[in-house]
Amino acid sequence: MVVAVVLAVALVAGGVLFWRTSAAATTRSVTAPTGSFPPPPLSQTSPPAAFAETWRAASQGTPVPLVAGPAVVTAADGEVAGRDAATGDIHWSYTRDDTICTAATGFGQVMALYRNGSGDACSELTVLVPATGARRVYSNPKALPGTRLLDSGTLVALTGSRYLQVLRSDLVKTTEFGTVDTPDQPGRQPYPDCSLDSFAITQGRLAILERCPGEDQDRLTVIAPDGGSDATSPEVVFSALQPGAHGQVVAAAGDRVAVARPGPARLEVVDGQGGVLSATPLAVPDADLAAPPPGGVAATTSDDRRIYWWTGSATVALGRADLQPVWTLPGTQGPGVRYGDAVLVPVPGGLAVVDPVTGAVPRTIAVDRGGFAGAVQPAVAGSVLLEQRGPDLVALRPA
């Protein structure tokens, strides 16, 4: 017994900690000393003439590049690792026996969601400090494989095709929505047994596009994610049927929601009461909009003025406040990302350097992706450009 205590103290002192969870899974945490994590390389004012790959790592648990504080975070199998943006060196790691479902940022922290012991649910959620990897808080939410974590800055929603829930920073549930398997108080949900197809979150609003039994149109429901006095009964801001072909939620801003629909391809902006403010034609194939996006979350990035949305074949810039389309760039592989005074948009064979105001493309930077032709999700950490290419994260530095 004395030996075990001494060993545990030694491991903690060395920055390595083992423990057993309630799910009987061994966890290993290697933390970084406070203040030791190097910041990303300094940002650049303009995109360079060329980029060179500096490192890559498996990261099938991150649907988009995960940049949190000074760390670029990868998630593969059971390990979540905080890496140096410039070199890919691991400064901290958190590893479980279980497989990770997904990882994302939330409340400025790193959120790692793991499968449970039986593997049929994603119900082991750990929040880690980005600069050190230290475990901050832990909980057991209700989610299934395929869930996405949507961060509003103060709240995080865990999506699902039948049920979603929202958590605050201490991981206490603020609200739930959808089909509750064994409700403590039946009748608390306004639209049970519906298919929840796509989602977007913003401060104070969570938009859900759903299809409900007996209804042949989309129902757009907006709820207050911070809930009310009872987390089991969502506070509905509005819920309205939306005529037209089945669509997908693209983004939310203020009291507005952007919904894309095929037949013909268009972007509808819906106001705070569910009325359609505008419908703007989109120069994209109907096929891009005919099904919910992967995981029910549109591929978007944003800066202080624009939201950059990848439809599946084109990148569309939207005004961040009014959600109106500004320009469209066809033949792309992902949403754009702001890099200095330009937007870099993944295209076959490289990166289009795009004027964020006009959408003009003065040049293209060649990037050899080794034959990878799938979706590319970009992000920036200082001067390092990150690309999520399927299960791999690739870091590019100015050359």
Side-chain angles (χ1 to χ4, degrees):
M1 183 66 171
V2 173
V3 173
V5 171
V6 171
L7 178 60
V9 171
L11 289 173
V12 172
V16 182
L17 178 64
F18 291 85
W19 64 84
R20 306 287 292 185
T21 72
S22 59
T26 300
T27 300
R28 179 175 184 265
S29 176
V30 180
T31 58
T34 300
S36 67
F37 207 113
L42 292 177
S43 303
Q44 297 201 172
T45 57
S46 297
F51 281 102
E53 180 177 327
T54 57
W55 60 271
R56 68 170 57 205
S59 190
Q60 66 265 30
T62 53
V64 300
L66 202 172
V67 181
V72 174
V73 181
T74 56
D77 300 322
E79 181 189 69
V80 178
R83 296 175 181 266
D84 186 310
T87 65
D89 293 342
I90 295 176
H91 289 267
W92 58 258
S93 63
Y94 176 86
T95 308
R96 294 173 59 95
D97 285 351
D98 303 314
T99 301
I100 193 162
C101 289
T102 191
T105 56
F107 330 111
Q109 310 290 302
V110 177
M111 306 191 74
L113 182 64
Y114 286 84
R115 290 180 184 260
N116 59 6
S118 61
D120 60 351
C122 300
S123 58
E124 308 283 337
L125 179 61
T126 296
V127 176
L128 306 169
V129 178
T132 65
R135 189 172 80 158
R136 194 178 69 81
V137 65
Y138 169 87
S139 75
N140 295 104
K142 177 185 174 183
L144 295 174
T147 187
R148 291 285 297 271
L149 307 178
L150 304 184
D151 178 27
S152 74
T154 57
L155 298 165
V156 169
L158 285 74
T159 70
S161 61
R162 305 284 290 176
Y163 171 87
L164 68 80
Q165 62 183 299
V166 182
L167 307 176
R168 66 191 192 198
S169 60
D170 58 3
L171 302 190
V172 170
K173 181 171 64 177
T174 61
T175 194
E176 62 183 355
F177 182 87
T179 304
V180 180
D181 291 336
T182 54
D184 294 331
Q185 302 179 61
R188 308 291 287 175
Q189 291 296 317
Y191 305 105
D193 304 319
C194 298
S195 172
L196 313 183
D197 291 340
S198 56
F199 316 86
I201 196 168
T202 189
Q203 196 68 249
R205 296 287 188 271
L206 174 57
I208 306 146
L209 200 67
E210 53 183 336
R211 277 292 175 109
C212 298
E215 298 177 350
D216 59 0
Q217 296 176 335
D218 286 340
R219 176 174 290 278
L220 178 61
T221 301
V222 173
I223 64 173
D226 54 357
S229 58
D230 184 356
T232 67
S233 181
E235 181 183 339
V236 177
V237 177
F238 76 81
S239 186
L241 293 175
Q242 305 289 302
H246 191 29
Q248 57 179 258
V249 169
V250 173
D255 64 351
R256 298 186 175 195
V257 180
V259 179
R261 297 189 187 282
R266 63 196 186 278
L267 189 75
E268 297 177 352
V269 176
V270 180
D271 66 18
Q273 289 76 47
V276 177
L277 287 173
S278 63
T280 306
L282 294 173
V284 304
D286 275 350
D288 284 7
L289 314 178
V297 180
T300 63
T301 61
S302 64
D303 58 27
D304 57 348
R305 294 188 62 188
R306 300 278 187 263
I307 295 171
Y308 305 102
W309 163 46
W310 186 58
T311 69
S313 69
T315 300
V316 181
L318 310 177
R320 183 161 182 153
D322 61 11
L323 302 181
Q324 293 292 331
V326 179
W327 49 258
T328 299
L329 183 65
T332 64
Q333 287 182 259
V337 65
R338 192 65 179 259
Y339 192 102
D341 58 5
V343 176
L344 297 181
V345 179
V347 295
L351 292 158
V353 180
V354 184
D355 183 311
V357 176
T358 66
V361 183
R363 63 189 177 99
T364 298
I365 303 171
V367 175
D368 182 5
R369 298 191 178 97
F372 179 80
V376 176
Q377 298 281 352
V380 172
S383 61
V384 177
L385 179 70
L386 302 163
E387 291 190 343
Q388 185 80 40
R389 304 176 191 167
D392 296 322
L393 182 67
V394 180
L396 308 171
R397 291 196 68 180

